[in-house]
Amino acid sequence: MSIRSKILFGCAALTLLAVGLGAYAQKAERDLGSLALRIYDDAFMGVSYLRSAQVDFAALAASAHRGVVQPDAVEAVLDDLAVARDRAMSPEGRDAANRLGGAVTSAVHQPDQAATERALAAVQAEFEQAVETFAGDGFRYRRGVEAMVAAQARRTWIVIGLTVLGALSITFLLNRLIAPPVRRAVRVAQAIAAGNLDNVIPVTGRGETAELLRALSIMQSSIADALARIHALMQQQATSHAGELARQHARLEAALDNMTQGLCLFGNDGRLVISNKRFAEMFGIPGAEALVETMLHDAGLDLLVGSARDTSLSALTCELPDGRVIAVSQHAVADGGWVATYEDISERRATESRMAHLARHDGLTGLPNRLLFTEHLAGSLARARRGDGIAMLCLDLDRFKIVNDTLGHAAGDELLRLVTKRLRECTRETDLVVRLGGDEFVIVQEKSTQPTDATALAKRLVDLMGRAFLIEGREVVIGVSIGIALSMDGLEAGEALLKRADLAMYRAKNDGRGTFRFFEREMDDAVQIKRALELDLRQALSDKHFEVFYQPLVQAGGIAGFEALLRWRHPQRGMVSPADFIPIAEETGLIGQMGAWVLRQACADAVTWPGTLKVAVNLSPLQFQGRSLVDDVAQALRETGLAPSRLELEITESVLIQDADGVLKTLHALREMGIRIAMDDFGTGYSSLSYLRRFPFDKIKIDQSFVKGIAEQEDCRTIVRAVIGLGRSLHMSVNAEGVETEAQLEALRSEGCGEIQGYFFSKPKPADQVADMLRLHGNATLPAIGHDRQSQDEASVAAE
C-alpha cells in the first residue's frame, strides 16, 4: 500500500470515528429532548391543569355558598380534571383525578345547601391530596430523569474516550507504517552522502519506501563502483597503463551515466572534477566536463554551483528561470571536495500545488470553496474591526432546477460556469466570489460604503443574471435572488453574517425572486416563529389536532357535495390558518402524511352523507412526487367503502409543471378508478389550455380573483364567460368559487355557471354541521338562494 493510500485510509477512519461520535451525540440530544418534553407535557401540564381545576372549583364553591351552581363552572372544573387525568404520570394520579371528578359532580347535586357545603369542603381536601400525589409523581420522575441524564453523561464520556482511543490507535498505526521506513531511507541517504558506501540496505516488500531503498542501493553501488574505478584509474595512470585507464574510464562513465540523478564531483579547489550524463541532460549542457561549470554560469544556473560551495548546507531546493524546481543534496568527501546530486522535483511540486488549490477551490467553476471562504472571512472581519466595512451577498439562482431537470446536468454545469464568468465581470478584484455548493454563491465585498456599494452590486447582479444565457444553442433565462448582510462594525462572527445573508435571500425569493433584500432583525424572528410552528405541526399530527371542515358545492337543484378543507385547532394558538401551516408541511415533507389523512377522513365522512353527495379533496403538488398517491387514494376508498364516483380530486397547474408526463400518468390511473379530476384556480397559470388538451378534466374551477370582479369589471365577466363556454365545449363542468354577494351570484347565473360555492352560501364548517347545511340548502334552487341569506348568516355565526 502506498503512503498516500495509508494516509487516505487513516483520514477515512478518523472521519468515521468523528461521524460516529457526532451521530451518538445527536441521539443523546434527541433522548434528552424527549425527556424534557415528557417533563413539560406530563409532569408540568398535569399539575398545571390540576391547579387550574382547583382554582375553578374555588370559584364554583364560592358561588355554591351563595346558593348558585353554575353549570359552565362545573364543566370547566371537569374539563381541567380530564386533562390532568390524561397527563397524570401514575395510576394513583389518574385515580385521584377520577375521584375528584366524581366528587365534584356529587357535590353540586346534594339535596340541600348544608350537604352541598360539606361535600364541597371534602372535595377541597381531596384537591390538596391530589396535588400532593401529582407533585410526588413529578418528583419521582425528576429523580428518574436525573439518574438517566447522569447515565447518559457517563455513556457519552465512555464514547468520547473510546473515540479518542481509536484515533490514537489509528495515528499510532499510521506512524508505525510510514515513519520507520522513511527514517530508514533517510539514514541510508545521509550515510551515502557522507561517503559511507558500505551500508547494508535491506530491500523487501513493495511500495514507495521499498522503491526508494532499492534506488539508494543502486545509487550506492553505482557511486562505490564509480569511486573504485576512479581510484583504479588513478593507479593505472601512475603506472602508465593507458589502455587499462581508458577501459576504467569507460566503465566509470557507464556507471555515472546510468544514474537517475544528476551528479557532480568537485575538488577541494571548487573546480568540477566529474559529472554524469544525467546532469548534462537536466541543464542542457554539453558533455565535456571541463566546460560544465562555465556553461552552468552562462545558463544562469550559478545558484546551484554557488550554493554547493557552502558545505554547511547538506540539502536545498532551487527554482530555475524556466520554472523547474531542483532538489540539491551535497556532502563533503575525504580530500576536501564534495559530491552534489541533483533531482528534478518539478512534477512533484506541481502535483502538491494542484492538490492545495483543489482543497480550497470548486472543481467545476474554479471559484473559492467554503474552506477558503472561511479562511478569508476571518481576515475580512479582522479588517472590518479596524474600520473597513464588509458586505456579504448570498445568491441563489432562480429556476436553476428547471434547467437541470429539462436540459440535463451537463447543461446545468455549463450554466454554472457561465454564471461564474458574469459574477467575475460584476465584481472587483478585492471582492471574494465563492461557490458554496449547488446553485448557491456568496460574495464578500470589502471596503464597501455600506449600504451604497452593496446595493449597486446587487442591482448589477440582478440585471446581468436576468439576461439570457446561450447553452447548447438554446437561450436559457433564469434570474437570481440576493440576500445582503452588513458587518455592523465587524462585530459578528462569519457564520452569523452568512446566516443573516441567507435569511435575507429567502425573503427575496418569497417576495417574487429576481430581486434583493437586506437583512432585517424581523427575519430572524420570523424564522424562530416558523421553527416553533413546525415543531407544533409535528406534534399536532400525533395528537390529532387536525379537523376537516366542509363547504357546500351548490348546483341548480341544491347541494351536490362538499369541498373538504383542512383546519388546525392549536391548543394555545387557536385556529391556525392553512396559509401558515400548509407551506411548512410541504417544506418538511409532512404534507404526504397529512394529505393521506385528509383523504381517509373525507371519505369516511362522505360515506355517512345521504344519496350521492360527492366530496372534493385538494391535492398538493408534493403528493405527486411521493409516487404513493394512487395507493393512498385506493386505500382510503377501500377502508371507508366510499364509491369512487363520489370522490373528486382537485389539482392546480403547478402540479403539471413539475413533471407533466409523470403527473398525467398518475391522473389517468385515478381516472381509471372512477374518480373525478378537477383543475383548481383555472386561468391563473400560463399554459392552462395545453393541459386541458393533454388531459380531459371533469371539472374546471374558475379562480375567485375573476369571480370577485364579475359584477363590476367587464374583463372579469368576459373571462368567466369564456371559461364557461370552454367547459361546455369540452364537456367539462364549471365551478365558480369565492362567491360572496348576490350580485356575483346573479352574474354567474346569467352566464350559465353550473356549480357555485362561497361564503354567500356558507363558510367551511365541521363535519357534524353538514346535516344543518343540507337542511338549509338541500332543496334550494339557485333563484331562491338569496332569500335565505339571513338564516344562513345566523347559522354561520352559531357554528363559529
Side-chain angles (χ1 to χ4, degrees):
M1 185 183 292
S2 65
I3 293 176
R4 179 184 180 187
S5 299
K6 293 173 183 176
I7 293 174
L8 290 176
F9 174 78
C11 291
L14 290 173
T15 301
L16 288 176
L17 285 175
V19 170
L21 180 59
Y24 181 83
Q26 287 289 327
K27 180 180 180 301
E29 182 180 349
R30 289 195 299 273
D31 292 344
L32 292 177
S34 299
L35 289 175
L37 289 176
R38 178 77 190 280
I39 291 173
Y40 175 82
D41 289 345
D42 292 342
F44 175 76
M45 294 301 294
V47 174
S48 177
Y49 275 96
L50 188 61
R51 286 295 191 184
S52 177
Q54 189 176 16
V55 172
D56 293 341
F57 178 77
L60 172 63
S63 62
H65 287 315
R66 295 191 300 271
V68 178
V69 177
Q70 297 177 350
D72 290 345
V74 175
E75 187 67 24
V77 173
L78 294 179
D79 286 347
D80 288 342
L81 286 175
V83 176
R85 180 195 61 223
D86 293 340
R87 300 288 184 174
M89 302 181 68
S90 70
E92 293 79 5
R94 288 190 291 273
D95 291 343
N98 283 329
R99 287 196 304 273
L100 277 173
V104 170
T105 303
S106 175
V108 298
H109 292 90
Q110 292 299 319
D112 53 52
Q113 181 68 20
T116 297
E117 291 185 357
R118 286 194 301 272
L120 291 176
V123 171
Q124 184 62 43
E126 286 193 30
F127 261 112
E128 295 300 330
Q129 260 185 336
V131 169
E132 290 181 3
T133 300
F134 271 64
D137 291 343
F139 178 74
R140 285 191 296 275
Y141 184 71
R142 174 177 175 274
R143 294 296 298 271
V145 168
E146 288 177 348
M148 293 176 69
V149 170
Q152 184 64 52
R154 289 193 297 273
R155 288 194 294 271
T156 299
W157 280 113
I158 291 172
V159 170
I160 292 173
L162 291 175
T163 303
V164 172
L165 181 60
L168 292 175
S169 300
I170 292 169
T171 305
F172 177 75
L173 179 61
L174 287 177
N175 184 60
R176 289 295 302 273
L177 291 175
I178 297 173
V182 173
R183 284 198 298 268
R184 187 161 57 249
V186 170
R187 286 196 298 270
V188 170
Q190 289 174 338
I192 293 174
N196 184 4
L197 302 178
D198 58 353
N199 300 286
V200 177
I201 306 176
V203 181
T204 58
R206 290 181 294 180
E208 288 121 324
T209 54
E211 291 295 328
L212 177 59
L213 289 171
R214 191 173 291 110
L216 289 173
S217 178
I218 295 172
M219 184 177 72
Q220 177 179 258
S221 300
S222 300
I223 294 175
D225 191 28
L227 293 178
R229 282 169 173 74
I230 291 173
H231 183 67
L233 180 61
M234 294 175 65
Q235 287 182 339
Q236 289 177 0
Q237 185 177 15
T239 57
S240 301
H241 292 165
E244 186 63 22
L245 180 61
R247 287 191 294 274
Q248 293 290 345
H249 183 71
R251 294 191 189 101
L252 174 62
E253 284 188 344
L256 294 176
D257 291 345
N258 284 320
M259 291 179 60
T260 58
Q261 296 173 307
L263 181 142
C264 288
L265 175 63
F266 294 91
N268 55 10
D269 58 355
R271 295 182 61 81
L272 181 65
V273 175
I274 192 171
S275 67
N276 65 353
K277 182 180 179 181
R278 176 58 183 152
F279 178 79
E281 291 173 347
M282 289 175 66
F283 303 108
I285 299 173
E289 294 175 2
L291 298 176
V292 167
E293 188 171 0
T294 303
M295 295 298 293
L296 194 59
H297 286 290
D298 292 344
L301 308 176
D302 54 308
L303 177 61
L304 294 170
V305 177
S307 297
R309 289 195 179 96
D310 184 1
T311 57
S312 63
L313 295 174
S314 60
L316 67 150
T317 302
C318 299
E319 293 190 11
L320 303 185
D322 61 4
R324 289 184 298 159
V325 181
I326 305 298
V328 182
S329 179
Q330 62 178 30
H331 296 279
V333 296
D335 63 355
W338 69 91
V339 174
T341 58
Y342 304 85
E343 181 181 4
D344 189 339
I345 59 172
S346 304
E347 185 176 349
R348 186 196 311 167
R349 281 291 182 88
T351 300
E352 293 172 353
S353 177
R354 284 195 299 272
M355 292 180 65
H357 182 272
L358 289 175
R360 287 173 168 78
H361 291 78
D362 174 51
L364 176 64
T365 62
L367 292 175
N369 61 12
R370 187 178 291 271
L371 177 60
L372 184 54
F373 165 68
T374 303
E375 295 173 353
H376 177 89
L377 189 57
S380 298
L381 290 171
R383 288 187 289 275
R385 295 186 187 98
R386 296 195 295 268
D388 297 334
I390 68 169
M392 184 177 295
L393 291 78
C394 189
L395 292 74
D396 189 84
L397 303 183
D398 301 331
R399 296 179 291 280
F400 174 76
K401 186 177 184 301
I402 297 176
V403 176
N404 235 8
D405 293 343
T406 56
L407 302 183
H409 291 291
D413 291 345
E414 178 62 20
L415 176 59
L416 290 174
R417 284 189 284 266
L418 293 175
V419 167
T420 299
K421 182 180 178 182
R422 292 190 183 181
L423 290 177
R424 284 172 168 157
E425 292 173 356
C426 254
T427 52
R428 307 169 300 183
E429 291 185 2
T430 56
D431 299 334
L432 181 71
V433 183
V434 181
R435 183 190 177 203
L436 293 183
D439 60 338
E440 188 175 358
F441 298 82
V442 168
I443 297 176
V444 180
Q445 188 182 43
E446 294 195 43
K447 298 182 179 179
S448 66
T449 304
Q450 303 178 15
T452 307
D453 290 347
T455 301
L457 176 58
K459 288 181 178 178
R460 292 198 305 270
L461 290 169
V462 169
D463 174 65
L464 201 57
M465 293 302 164
R467 300 177 187 176
F469 293 86
L470 186 62
I471 300 176
E472 298 177 353
R474 302 176 61 175
E475 284 193 350
V476 174
V477 178
I478 52 170
V480 66
S481 299
I482 305 173
I484 308 173
L486 305 178
S487 63
M488 301 292 290
D489 300 325
L491 298 180
E492 285 85 355
E495 287 300 324
L497 202 60
L498 178 60
K499 177 185 176 183
R500 292 182 175 184
D502 196 52
L503 289 174
M505 183 268 291
Y506 276 106
R507 173 62 61 84
K509 274 191 172 297
N510 292 334
D511 288 351
R513 302 174 182 256
T515 185
F516 64 92
R517 293 289 181 268
F518 280 87
F519 171 80
E520 298 173 358
R521 190 71 60 179
E522 294 78 10
M523 295 178 183
D524 194 32
D525 297 338
V527 169
Q528 299 304 324
I529 294 172
K530 181 179 177 183
R531 175 61 178 163
L533 197 61
E534 177 185 339
L535 294 175
D536 290 347
L537 189 63
R538 295 182 184 276
Q539 189 68 31
L541 276 172
S542 61
D543 291 350
K544 299 180 180 180
H545 289 162
F546 290 107
E547 301 178 36
V548 179
F549 279 33
Y550 296 94
Q551 186 175 39
L553 307 174
V554 182
Q555 295 182 358
I559 292 180
F562 294 88
E563 180 177 359
L565 300 167
L566 183 62
R567 294 294 184 266
W568 178 14
R569 196 182 300 275
H570 193 283
Q572 285 78 41
R573 301 171 186 262
M575 297 298 288
V576 181
S577 170
D580 293 333
F581 70 83
I582 291 295
I584 297 177
E586 291 179 334
E587 289 178 13
T588 57
L590 296 173
I591 192 65
Q593 185 178 352
M594 293 170 57
W597 180 84
V598 172
L599 269 171
R600 289 194 301 272
Q601 188 62 43
C603 291
D605 290 337
V607 167
T608 65
W609 300 343
T612 59
L613 289 175
K614 63 188 176 184
V615 62
V617 179
N618 292 280
L619 296 180
S620 166
L622 294 181
Q623 289 180 261
F624 285 83
Q625 296 180 4
R627 308 302 182 188
S628 64
L629 177 59
V630 175
D631 294 337
D632 291 342
V633 174
Q635 183 177 357
L637 293 174
R638 185 170 55 253
E639 291 178 355
T640 61
L642 182 71
S645 59
R646 296 180 62 188
L647 177 61
E648 187 174 277
L649 300 178
E650 298 183 2
I651 68 170
T652 60
E653 292 179 31
S654 59
V655 173
L656 294 156
I657 292 175
Q658 62 186 12
D659 176 16
D661 293 336
V663 170
L664 289 175
K665 182 179 178 181
T666 300
L667 292 178
H668 280 293
L670 294 170
R671 169 70 67 77
E672 291 172 1
M673 295 168 59
I675 297 168
R676 292 169 54 84
I677 308 297
M679 177 178 280
D680 198 5
D681 300 335
F682 183 78
T684 58
Y686 65 89
S687 55
S688 303
L689 296 180
S690 66
Y691 294 138
L692 292 180
R693 181 176 60 82
R694 297 183 65 183
F695 183 81
F697 287 88
D698 298 289
K699 180 193 289 185
I700 304 173
K701 297 192 69 173
I702 303 175
D703 187 71
Q704 59 183 342
S705 61
F706 303 118
V707 174
K708 184 177 181 180
I710 188 172
E712 299 85 11
Q713 302 175 20
E714 187 60 31
D715 56 344
C716 290
R717 187 157 190 156
T718 302
I719 292 172
V720 171
R721 181 184 302 126
V723 174
I724 294 173
L726 179 65
R728 186 180 298 114
S729 301
L730 296 176
H731 305 290
M732 300 177 184
S733 61
V734 178
N735 170 289
E737 57 183 348
V739 177
E740 297 181 353
T741 67
E742 190 164 1
Q744 294 169 354
L745 174 63
E746 292 299 326
L748 290 168
R749 282 183 53 221
S750 66
E751 297 297 339
C753 184
E755 186 177 271
I756 300 173
Q757 70 181 101
Y759 281 11
F760 184 82
F761 303 107
S762 175
K763 294 181 179 180
K765 296 181 179 179
D768 58 6
Q769 298 187 34
V770 166
D772 295 336
M773 289 187 281
L774 287 173
R775 281 193 295 271
L776 284 172
H777 307 296
N779 297 322
T781 59
L782 288 179
I785 287 175
H787 299 299
D788 296 328
R789 179 63 187 273
Q790 182 177 358
S791 62
Q792 294 161 15
D793 285 349
E794 291 172 356
S796 297
V797 171
E800 294 173 1

